[in-house]
Amino acid sequence: MNLSFFDQFSSPYLLGIPLILPSLLLPALLFPSPGQRWINNRLSTIQLWSVHLITKQLMTPLNKAGHKWALLLTSLILLLLSINLLGLLPYTFTPTTQLTMNMALALPLWLATLLTGLRNQPSASLGHLLPEGTPTPLIPALIMIETTSLLIRPLALGVRLTANLTAGHLLIQLISTATITLLPLMPSISALTALILFLLTILEVAVAMIQAYVFVLLLSLYLQENI
């Protein structure tokens, strides 16, 4: 059966049951459960240090009111980071290549930051729609533009994450297909293509980490505007 390059982005099924939910729960099983000791082994030490570093980077631009979101934002970046990196392994499925899932993450969190601002400081939140010192004739147009840019934020979050991961997966599959096809015909060209594939894989590991960080960082910046 011939498969297209986009079949890797379709959710796998087992006995008619979609396996996207187990693929979302798998990263949580990789983290050790807390024990009675502060430090269990080297792996736990590295994980605790990483979580501390990530939390510190995310909470730095926020004031004390935003520190209530530390657990949510840290859990979100660990989830995205684990899913993105595990999706680079062979014969795996990456849920974050699905726009529906990314929008399901981006839309409620963006809406929560917006409602937080409207509840705590409605005047300041609505004041972002109209820059200070705007000429009177430009007020209606600027309000429409700022409202559109505000409403497009969750779409930009979801599309950015989906597009970057999808493009990387497609490039890896295209170059790996070319490497296998050229191997019996031109071994030297195939070896060069394999080297490019190796470098691209390293790049995609960095992209997977950066995109998870950017997704959560933008959410934290949206939160900072509303607190």
Side-chain angles (χ1 to χ4, degrees), residues 73-223:
L73 295 179
T74 304
S75 302
L76 178 61
I77 192 174
L78 290 177
L79 174 67
L80 293 177
L81 189 61
S82 303
I83 291 176
N84 293 350
L85 292 178
L86 289 175
L88 294 174
L89 296 176
Y91 304 106
T92 56
F93 172 68
T94 312
T96 44
T97 56
Q98 307 295 312
L99 182 60
T100 52
M101 175 190 165
N102 296 333
M103 290 301 299
L105 290 175
L107 187 58
L109 293 173
W110 166 82
L111 187 60
T113 61
L114 183 62
L115 294 179
T116 300
L118 292 176
R119 184 189 66 179
N120 296 334
Q121 45 181 13
S123 299
S125 297
L126 294 176
H128 291 147
L129 300 179
L130 184 63
E132 186 177 356
T134 304
T136 304
L138 297 179
I139 289 179
L142 279 179
I143 290 179
M144 294 179 61
I145 293 173
E146 292 296 330
T147 303
T148 304
S149 66
L150 179 65
L151 297 178
I152 208 173
R153 282 179 174 180
L155 181 62
L157 282 175
V159 170
R160 181 188 296 108
L161 182 60
T162 304
N164 282 281
L165 294 180
T166 302
H169 283 62
L170 285 176
L171 279 176
I172 289 177
Q173 186 168 2
L174 285 171
I175 296 179
S176 60
T177 303
T179 303
I180 297 175
T181 304
L182 293 174
L183 182 59
L185 302 176
M186 293 177 287
S188 58
I189 302 298
S190 178
L192 179 61
T193 310
L195 177 61
I196 296 175
L197 178 62
F198 175 74
L199 297 177
L200 179 62
T201 303
I202 297 177
L203 176 63
E204 285 305 313
V205 171
V207 169
M209 299 172 66
I210 291 172
Q211 290 303 316
Y213 177 72
V214 168
F215 187 92
V216 181
L217 179 63
L218 290 177
L219 279 175
S220 66
L221 294 179
Y222 298 158
L223 177 63

Side-chain angles (χ1 to χ4, degrees), residues 24-42:
L24 289 174
L25 297 178
L26 178 62
L29 302 178
L30 300 179
F31 294 94
S33 58
Q36 297 181 352
R37 299 179 180 179
W38 284 5
I39 299 177
N40 294 324
N41 48 44
R42 292 183 178 88

Side-chain angles (χ1 to χ4, degrees), residues 35-92:
Q36 297 181 352
R37 299 179 180 179
W38 284 5
I39 299 177
N40 294 324
N41 48 44
R42 292 183 178 88
L43 179 60
S44 299
T45 304
I46 294 174
Q47 289 180 345
L48 288 175
W49 175 80
S50 302
V51 171
H52 173 73
L53 180 63
I54 291 172
T55 306
K56 182 179 179 181
Q57 292 294 327
L58 291 177
M59 294 298 108
T60 298
L62 299 179
N63 54 27
K64 291 185 178 180
H67 292 177
K68 301 176 182 178
W69 292 62
L71 179 60
L72 176 61
L73 295 179
T74 304
S75 302
L76 178 61
I77 192 174
L78 290 177
L79 174 67
L80 293 177
L81 189 61
S82 303
I83 291 176
N84 293 350
L85 292 178
L86 289 175
L88 294 174
L89 296 176
Y91 304 106
T92 56

